[in-house]
Amino acid sequence: MGRKDQAHDTRPRYKGICPACGGDLYICKSIAQEIGLAPFLGHGTCPKCGKFLHLAFNEERQEFDCETWEEYMKKAKGGFGDNGN
């Protein structure tokens, strides 16, 4: 199937900034984020530098908070509420 034959994605895109390279990202919400089930459970790869990222939708600012997967996992192992210590 050629590119012109593919459906155009019309979902809204929200801004995020890659913490690794500083590049601007424009991200669609996942299905779970879209229905409000898990706004903090997104992930993806920066198209500019290839870094794997954790993507949490910030409802107040209407954009994504992005952090490297390594930083996210440090917080997860630390329990998220104690600054990773």
Side-chain angles (χ1 to χ4, degrees), residues 1-10 13:
M1 176 188 323
R3 188 170 199 173
K4 67 179 182 165
D5 298 327
Q6 294 177 358
H8 179 69
D9 189 348
T10 60
R13 297 182 190 280

Side-chain angles (χ1 to χ4, degrees), residues 10-27:
T10 60
R11 294 179 297 160
R13 297 182 190 280
Y14 302 91
K15 187 173 182 179
I17 298 175
C18 176
C21 71
D24 289 340
L25 306 171
Y26 294 93
I27 308 160

Side-chain angles (χ1 to χ4, degrees), residues 13-17 25 27 29 39 55-66:
R13 297 182 190 280
Y14 302 91
K15 187 173 182 179
I17 298 175
L25 306 171
I27 308 160
K29 291 180 185 178
L55 308 169
F57 187 69
N58 185 311
E59 193 72 43
E60 189 174 294
R61 291 193 335 261
Q62 291 292 296
E63 61 185 46
F64 276 88
D65 296 325
C66 307

Side-chain angles (χ1 to χ4, degrees), residues 20-83:
C21 71
D24 289 340
L25 306 171
Y26 294 93
I27 308 160
C28 291
K29 291 180 185 178
S30 69
I31 292 170
Q33 289 169 326
E34 199 65 57
I35 63 173
L37 183 63
F40 52 88
L41 290 179
H43 61 277
T45 302
C46 175
K48 293 173 178 57
C49 70
K51 195 72 169 172
F52 193 63
L53 305 172
H54 173 252
L55 308 169
F57 187 69
N58 185 311
E59 193 72 43
E60 189 174 294
R61 291 193 335 261
Q62 291 292 296
E63 61 185 46
F64 276 88
D65 296 325
C66 307
E67 63 185 329
T68 65
W69 191 255
E70 294 84 5
E71 287 299 315
Y72 173 71
M73 291 309 295
K74 283 181 193 174
K75 290 180 185 176
K77 290 177 183 173
F80 288 97
D82 59 3
N83 297 322

